[in-house]
Amino acid sequence: PAQPQRAGQRKMPRAPKAAATQKKISDFALELYRISDFAREVYAVALEIPEGKVSTYKFVSLEVARRRKTASCPQAVGQALRRNPFAPQVPCHRVVADSLRLHGFHGRTDADILERKRKILEKEAVLFTKDGSIAPQCVFAFDEGTTIPGTACA
């Protein structure tokens, strides 16, 4: 039930619910930032990781390299994600270490920040194993032929 409105109190309009649409990197005001072409591609790839899934720095790097026809460099992907000015809309929190463990978030690796990243992922329905790593069924690979770490095929 709605609360009665008091005299002199204005009722705040509610924002319309946004449609659940897949964002593209072109949806962001990139011209306002000094972002390299490489970082733009990393952010575009990160946007493809669906909610409830994660990918690894290696997988993101391989996908960026495939698109740019360059060598793969997971460390450069990590640096681009560390400087992500569009978080959480560009979901850098969905990228984890190849070991499927949480490694860093917002350029930090302390326990508090990793717990924050874990809570965000759990809220998105990412599953964790008893040892604290990501459950293999929650890993998103951009190429269907990619071997997922931690699976019987790995």
Side-chain angles (χ1 to χ4, degrees):
Q3 295 290 331
Q5 193 170 345
R6 294 182 183 154
Q9 190 179 35
R10 290 185 0 189
K11 190 173 183 178
M12 296 299 292
R14 289 191 173 172
K17 289 187 177 180
T21 58
Q22 179 71 23
K23 288 195 178 282
K24 298 178 298 224
I25 198 64
S26 60
D27 294 338
F28 298 93
L30 295 177
E31 66 276 0
L32 300 177
Y33 298 91
R34 292 183 182 184
I35 296 174
S36 69
D37 290 341
F38 175 81
R40 287 179 197 212
E41 195 68 50
V42 170
Y43 302 153
V45 169
L47 280 166
E48 294 177 21
I49 305 168
E51 190 170 312
K53 299 282 186 181
V54 298
S55 195
T56 67
Y57 295 101
K58 178 182 175 181
F59 289 165
V60 171
S61 180
L62 289 169
E63 183 61 15
V64 169
R66 186 190 65 77
R67 293 178 185 189
R68 294 173 55 88
K69 298 177 177 46
T70 61
S72 172
C73 187
Q75 287 180 323
V77 166
Q79 290 302 311
L81 293 173
R82 177 182 185 194
R83 293 187 293 269
N84 175 9
F86 307 112
Q89 291 82 12
V90 173
C92 54
H93 61 277
R94 294 184 191 151
V95 183
V96 300
D98 199 43
S99 65
L100 300 185
R101 294 195 166 277
L102 302 183
H103 177 7
F105 189 46
H106 291 294
R108 294 175 30 206
T109 58
D110 56 276
D112 290 341
I113 200 75
L114 295 180
E115 183 60 27
R116 184 170 158 204
K117 183 173 182 173
R118 181 182 174 122
K119 286 181 179 176
I120 292 168
L121 292 171
E122 287 176 333
K123 195 172 190 178
E124 293 184 351
V126 172
L127 303 174
F128 287 81
T129 63
K130 288 180 182 177
D131 73 352
S133 59
I134 304 287
Q137 68 266 30
C138 293
V139 178
F140 177 78
F142 299 91
D143 176 11
E144 291 180 20
T146 303
T147 301
I148 306 294
T151 63
C153 303

